[in-house]
Amino acid sequence: MRKLLLLAVLLAGCTTAKKTTVTETPIPDVSSLRLLHKYVVPYNRPFKGTTIGGLSGIDYDSARKVYYIICDDRSEKQPARFYTAQVPVSRKEGDSVIFKDVTYLRKRDGKTYPSKQDFAPDPEAMRYNPHTQSFVWSSEGERILSPAGYILNDPGVYEIDGLGRLVDSFPLPPQFHMQASENGPRRNGTFEGLGFTPNGQYMFVSLEEPRYEDGPRADLKDTTAYTRLIKYDIQTRKPVAQYAYRLSPVAHAPVPADEFRVNGISDILPLSSDKLLVMERSYSRGVKNNTIRVYTIEIGNATNINNIGSLKTTKSFTPVKKTLLLDFDTLHTYVDNVEGMTFGPVLPNGHRSMIFVVDNNFDKDEETQFFVFEVE
């Protein structure tokens, strides 16, 4: 009987969730960002049987002093994955980004994602939650319409443990289901950014480009492109609000003038429950640099558009207020496809650092870059 009682106590201890005490570095007021240095990782650098590239989201673990960086490889080169790395913030001779480990994303059955199937995730953003010691990552889904058939995979937000194993998913608001008609999200324009509020109470998820019902994509001199931010309550896991965000125009005309151009949200970084940093990434074919703009946004009096089906037909709403914080065009250095941002460690002068990462699309003509800034 004593043994049985002891076993019961031990089992109860194993199934009780640990209460984690998290000491978070306070989020500073961000008035400006000053570039300290830039690192470039060699093209197609191998690491533990994988190819480094496609780095689309980054987050800092202040307890372990490492960064987690998700890769947007759709299991075409190697299985979908994220990396653990160290990024020096104080430039010394010989410093470089050091990759420490690779972790594969796994399905509910514990297996990695194969490439040849109807659902291959398109990982774009990932954050570490120090309050739960778990990760959340987003997939853009897929929308392919062809004579051979349709592939319609919804975007999603997924929670995983430290080994990459799927724990749960977050409910998808009905406005974001992929559809064969021109309704819902556009292809490759969905969940590109996400982030937690510092207290761990809320999570924001950003839509890269406008839904079909919400109006046109951003273009040159255009100011009517509205996309959306979704706010989740972490405790209930439910989406509690949506807010309209007006994209800036495409920064530069493509060459030739009728070629592809795009501008959308590539990442977000919450400062509080009503204040965020939003990064817009503008690209025009024929223009070498991407234009990266970082804005401070305030939700303030913005309308909760959770129940508004179309921002194109409904005009009675107030978008979030945005203020330009940084335009990478002013840095006078080659800037590629920046897709992720995170606060880093505290610098020797007491200021916080901020790190940006570039997705090189596994293209030899693009660079895997890391930009290190001082937060002023």
Side-chain angles (χ1 to χ4, degrees), residues 75-357:
S75 293
E76 293 173 347
K77 292 183 177 293
Q78 296 92 32
R81 60 199 178 275
F82 71 88
Y83 294 97
T84 303
Q86 292 177 329
V87 182
V89 294
S90 299
R91 184 98 192 201
K92 298 177 183 177
E93 187 175 353
D95 272 354
S96 63
V97 177
I98 301 171
F99 289 84
K100 308 288 287 185
D101 204 1
V102 59
T103 304
Y104 295 105
L105 305 177
R106 298 184 182 275
K107 301 181 292 181
R108 289 195 183 276
D109 61 6
K111 296 179 180 179
T112 58
Y113 290 94
S115 58
K116 294 182 179 179
Q117 61 170 16
D118 287 344
F119 175 69
D122 185 4
E124 290 294 344
M126 187 176 73
R127 297 291 178 188
Y128 173 66
N129 187 341
H131 301 274
T132 61
Q133 296 186 3
S134 62
F135 299 85
V136 173
W137 65 279
S138 66
S139 171
E140 282 204 299
E142 186 57 280
R143 182 181 184 271
I144 297 178
L145 311 180
S146 72
Y150 297 168
I151 296 178
L152 297 173
N153 292 320
D154 287 335
V157 180
Y158 307 97
E159 182 180 3
I160 58 174
D161 65 16
L163 298 177
R165 298 174 300 196
L166 183 63
V167 175
D168 206 348
S169 61
F170 286 79
L172 184 68
Q175 299 99 323
F176 302 101
H177 288 289
M178 288 293 194
Q179 301 182 48
S181 58
E182 290 197 348
N183 300 94
R186 289 175 161 90
R187 182 175 190 260
N188 202 35
T190 63
F191 295 165
E192 189 83 14
L194 66 86
F196 300 110
T197 55
N199 61 9
Q201 186 176 358
Y202 297 106
M203 175 180 71
F204 285 88
V205 178
S206 58
L207 195 70
E208 182 179 3
E209 293 193 85
R211 297 162 57 250
Y212 285 103
E213 296 94 330
D214 289 338
R217 306 171 77 184
D219 207 342
L220 298 164
K221 300 181 180 179
D222 178 73
T223 58
T224 60
Y226 286 99
T227 189
R228 296 188 181 222
L229 302 170
I230 311 169
K231 183 180 182 180
Y232 283 86
D233 184 301
I234 291 295
Q235 186 173 3
T236 65
R237 306 183 71 86
K238 293 181 179 179
V240 294
Q242 293 180 36
Y243 303 100
Y245 178 93
R246 187 167 65 186
L247 292 166
S248 297
V250 172
H252 302 286
V255 181
D258 59 348
E259 280 288 347
F260 176 78
R261 64 268 194 186
V262 67
N263 185 47
I265 297 177
S266 58
D267 204 5
I268 58 175
L269 193 57
L271 305 178
S272 67
S273 60
D274 61 1
K275 193 172 186 179
L276 297 84
L277 298 182
V278 173
M279 177 166 60
E280 295 185 30
R281 181 259 327 272
S282 176
Y283 168 76
S284 298
R285 188 163 292 159
V287 179
K288 184 173 177 60
N289 272 28
N290 286 250
T291 293
I292 309 300
R293 306 182 187 103
V294 182
Y295 296 89
T296 303
I297 72 159
E298 298 176 49
I299 293 175
N301 297 321
T303 305
N304 181 355
I305 59 170
N306 196 49
N307 296 317
I308 296 179
S310 171
L311 300 179
K312 183 166 54 176
T313 59
T314 303
K315 304 299 182 183
S316 57
F317 65 90
T318 302
V320 299
K321 178 184 176 183
K322 57 188 280 191
T323 304
L324 181 64
L325 175 66
L326 172 68
D327 185 341
F328 274 57
D329 279 0
T330 65
L331 300 180
H332 306 296
T333 186
Y334 172 46
V335 178
D336 215 313
N337 179 33
V338 185
E339 290 204 354
M341 62 178 174
T342 183
F343 287 112
V346 175
L347 298 168
N349 63 3
H351 292 180
R352 196 78 182 264
S353 60
M354 195 167 177
I355 317 297
F356 293 78
V357 70

Side-chain angles (χ1 to χ4, degrees), residues 338-374:
V338 185
E339 290 204 354
M341 62 178 174
T342 183
F343 287 112
V346 175
L347 298 168
N349 63 3
H351 292 180
R352 196 78 182 264
S353 60
M354 195 167 177
I355 317 297
F356 293 78
V357 70
V358 164
D359 173 6
N360 74 337
N361 296 305
F362 294 100
D363 188 328
K364 62 180 176 58
D365 294 326
E366 300 180 35
E367 289 184 351
T368 296
Q369 303 170 332
F370 288 81
F371 293 87
V372 180
F373 287 84
E374 176 185 354

